[in-house]
Amino acid sequence: MRYPIQLSCWLRPRQRQFGWTRNTSVVTDGTKPKPLAAIPGPSGLSALPYIGLMFELKPFTNYDVKKLSELFEKYREQYGPLVKIRAGKDWLVCVYDPDDIAAVFRTESRHPYRGVTPLAKTYDRRKGVRPGLVTLKGDEWYALRSPTQKAMMRPKAMTKYAYRISQIADEFVAKFERRDRLDNLPDQLMEYTAEGVGMLCFNTRLGCITETNNSSELMEQTKTYLELFGESTYRLPLYTVFRTPMYRRFERAADFLSQVCENYIDDALTKVNNTTNFHDATVQNPEIQSWNTKQSFDADVQNTQHPTNVNTTDMEDSLLFDLLSTPGMTPDMTRRILVDVFVAGIDSTANAMTFLFYFLAKHQDKQRKLYQELLDVIPKDGKITEDVIKKLSYLKACVKESLRLVFPICAGTARILDLDIVLKGYKVPKGTTLVLCNGIICREERYFPQQDQFLPERWIRGDIRTDVNPFAHLPFGFGPRKCIGQRVAELEIYICTAKMFMTYRFKLPPGVDEIPYKYCTFATPREKTTFMLERRVTTWHS
């Protein structure tokens, strides 16, 4: 089936900054919608509150909690395009049709809500801290999201960071000049992404790129945080009552990351206050003047590296400056935004790059085609600017195809609507969690012919491309609650991939053909990954 309708046509007419005319899909043949209880899905023990999902996983079945995408695929095959499953005390409705996903997005409010895990709420409650972008909803969420959206999601917002990220990528690529392999991934790529997100948030070099292959405390704690955050969604939430061993591990990781961020924020804030162009009204804000995060850290945090090489002359080129320059933004609001951006930005991008490198190393013909594009487009001085990135169409197609084959999150994003909606003839009451299963749709033959093949050409007009339903592939989500870090993540991926493959030919180690992966909030390899490197004799076209 072909989908000639473009994305903009699906959502007209738009209204205000976000959103469009809200529409609850209705049954048009005069029949009464069937109730939620009639939606097919697992029954019996699997439908019990809190423990039902446990009976769908090991040891009762062969399905692993860290690869739930396989279980969601089974649901699609067994029950159809709309499936009801038990998670916690409530029902989840899994949506497997792109047209229905479009209907959900048309129905969501101006301030969409996707729910929050009890783990995050429990941590915030016990620590007495206010929630951040990930967990907030309503007007309070919008108060944080709106200024962040302006700073990070506008088409030109990331232009000022391209040169600095390019410098970081050069340093990362040079690390392997005397090596014949790139190993311990995604951890080594986390060195690059941590430097990039540090530059974005604080205009600060964190000193993460080192000559060793060892993982830093920052990276280990980031992985622990995200792994436990993801697993908690499907655990019996005993941690809401007791400080279980799992909760204590999560708490230690969250405390570490929060305090490290506070350290960087405090140092960068001092530099911002010394910037001549910083808004006088903001500088004189008593909340900013009284903000003091120099508290005693525990032994682990005291041993971490403190911020270095902060550029005091152009602190304006940082997300911190952009946020604090926004009327109404307080240091507390800024802190909550930066912690979320910093933690999520390190892990997810490094994992996405690992899988991209794998597909290119496995498919040498695609790697040769990418290398030829890089030769044709990248100037002799090696600088990758916004104008250069616009011309790298095959690189962008490779990224898109990699994100299709290994979807960044388990099934897809979620939404909790404030209106009833009718999908496939069933009435889904407001307040029900809808899981929009783009990660499963991306592997369906009906939407992506030769679905198991790495075919970047499917995304390029004039090649083998066929029209794709615009709601079939949404790796960063959609609408006002889409991934806030999409543009910086893409920028980091494009620049580092271009420089790495311009310099080295990637090959898989002998005997390696696949990279098994799991979901720890984001898709990540089950084992450390290695690629063989062969230095190229680079020649540019004149």
Side-chain angles (χ1 to χ4, degrees), residues 66-69 406-410 517-523:
K66 293 185 178 180
K67 198 68 184 296
L68 274 177
S69 55
V406 181
F407 203 72
I409 57 177
C410 174
Y517 63 94
K518 60 185 178 180
Y519 283 98
C520 301
T521 300
F522 303 111

Side-chain angles (χ1 to χ4, degrees), residues 186 189 347-357 402-403 406 408 493 523:
L189 283 169
D347 183 86
S348 57
T349 307
N351 281 307
M353 291 173 64
T354 300
F355 294 116
L356 173 62
F357 289 4
S402 177
L403 292 172
V406 181
I493 293 172

Side-chain angles (χ1 to χ4, degrees), residues 25 33 41 52 70 126 128 244 249 275 289 302 317 336 436 500:
S25 303
E70 295 175 349
R126 286 178 176 159
T244 63
R249 286 181 62 209
T275 302
Q289 294 297 330
Q302 288 183 11
D317 289 342
R336 288 185 282 153
L436 311 180
M500 286 296 289

Side-chain angles (χ1 to χ4, degrees), residues 404-475:
R404 181 189 72 82
L405 287 169
V406 181
F407 203 72
I409 57 177
C410 174
T413 191
R415 288 292 186 271
I416 299 177
L417 301 179
D418 61 349
L419 296 174
D420 296 344
I421 187 172
V422 176
L423 302 171
K424 294 288 181 284
Y426 297 94
K427 182 179 179 181
V428 181
K430 65 181 180 180
T432 304
T433 299
L434 294 155
V435 181
L436 311 180
C437 297
N438 289 105
I440 312 305
I441 293 170
C442 282
R443 301 300 298 268
E444 289 196 55
E445 188 74 20
R446 76 190 78 191
Y447 301 113
F448 297 94
Q450 298 178 277
Q451 56 84 15
D452 60 342
Q453 299 297 311
F454 180 69
L455 294 175
E457 292 79 7
R458 74 171 79 243
W459 302 103
I460 299 176
R461 294 187 183 279
D463 214 314
I464 66 169
R465 173 170 174 163
T466 58
D467 289 322
V468 176
N469 186 312
F471 287 91
H473 183 249
L474 298 172

Side-chain angles (χ1 to χ4, degrees), residues 60 62 95 102 136 167 179 293 421 426 444 465 492:
F60 304 101
N62 291 324
V95 183
L136 282 173
Q167 287 181 314
R179 305 185 191 183
T293 59
I421 187 172
Y426 297 94
E444 289 196 55
R465 173 170 174 163
E492 287 184 323

Side-chain angles (χ1 to χ4, degrees), residues 56-325:
E56 296 286 291
L57 301 168
K58 291 180 177 180
F60 304 101
T61 70
N62 291 324
Y63 294 101
D64 187 348
V65 69
K66 293 185 178 180
K67 198 68 184 296
L68 274 177
S69 55
E70 295 175 349
L71 180 60
F72 279 88
E73 287 177 4
K74 187 203 81 165
Y75 289 155
R76 173 67 177 92
E77 295 171 2
Q78 184 173 352
Y79 299 111
L82 199 69
V83 181
K84 178 179 92 265
I85 66 173
R86 180 70 80 174
K89 66 182 179 65
D90 300 316
W91 293 107
L92 302 182
V93 174
C94 302
V95 183
Y96 295 92
D97 187 326
D99 292 343
D100 288 337
I101 290 175
V104 171
F105 283 125
R106 284 199 298 269
T107 307
E108 68 180 5
S109 68
R110 187 167 181 259
H111 299 162
Y113 185 48
R114 60 185 177 198
V116 58
T117 65
L119 182 62
K121 291 177 66 176
T122 301
Y123 177 83
D124 291 345
R125 172 175 55 82
R126 286 178 176 159
K127 292 295 179 179
V129 298
R130 300 177 68 189
L133 275 173
V134 175
T135 55
L136 282 173
K137 63 179 180 179
D139 291 340
E140 192 175 1
W141 166 80
Y142 186 74
L144 293 187
R145 174 74 186 210
S146 180
T148 315
Q149 177 97 5
K150 294 174 183 176
M152 296 184 66
M153 295 298 289
R154 289 177 300 181
K156 297 286 186 179
M158 291 294 105
T159 302
K160 60 185 178 182
Y161 300 109
Y163 175 69
R164 292 173 185 174
I165 291 177
S166 186
Q167 287 181 314
I168 295 170
D170 286 335
E171 181 180 334
F172 183 75
V173 172
K175 173 178 176 176
F176 305 98
E177 281 184 352
R178 296 178 178 84
R179 305 185 191 183
D180 62 357
R181 62 177 57 211
L182 172 61
D183 52 14
N184 195 28
L185 297 186
D187 290 22
Q188 286 212 58
L189 283 169
M190 288 174 71
E191 295 180 359
Y192 164 73
T193 56
E195 289 291 341
V197 77
M199 183 61 68
L200 166 72
C201 292
F202 320 118
N203 192 27
T204 301
R205 289 301 303 269
L206 310 186
C208 292
I209 299 177
T210 66
E211 289 300 317
T212 69
N213 291 336
N214 299 327
S215 299
S216 70
E217 181 75 2
L218 172 63
M219 295 166 196
E220 289 299 328
Q221 294 288 10
T222 299
K223 289 186 292 183
T224 297
Y225 176 93
L226 292 171
E227 180 175 3
L228 297 177
F229 187 89
E231 285 185 21
S232 70
T233 306
Y234 309 103
R235 287 177 179 263
L236 194 63
L238 296 176
Y239 52 80
T240 61
V241 181
F242 308 104
R243 291 180 181 270
T244 63
M246 183 278 290
Y247 177 82
R248 289 196 296 269
R249 286 181 62 209
F250 176 83
E251 185 178 52
R252 285 194 297 270
D255 286 349
F256 180 92
L257 294 171
S258 180
Q259 291 180 355
V260 168
C261 286
E262 292 279 6
N263 196 23
Y264 290 128
I265 292 169
D266 189 51
D267 188 87
L269 182 66
T270 300
K271 302 298 188 292
V272 167
N273 282 338
N274 293 331
T275 302
T276 56
N277 290 332
F278 191 56
H279 292 189
D280 291 340
T282 307
V283 173
Q284 298 304 319
N285 187 329
E287 291 187 81
I288 293 178
Q289 294 297 330
S290 64
W291 190 33
N292 180 12
T293 59
K294 292 185 179 295
Q295 301 174 355
S296 58
F297 296 130
D298 59 35
D300 285 338
V301 177
Q302 288 183 11
N303 290 329
T304 55
Q305 183 172 357
H306 285 246
T308 59
N309 301 328
V310 179
N311 191 332
T312 60
T313 61
D314 55 3
M315 279 304 298
E316 295 170 54
D317 289 342
S318 68
L319 181 58
L320 177 71
F321 183 94
D322 289 340
L323 294 175
L324 288 177
S325 298

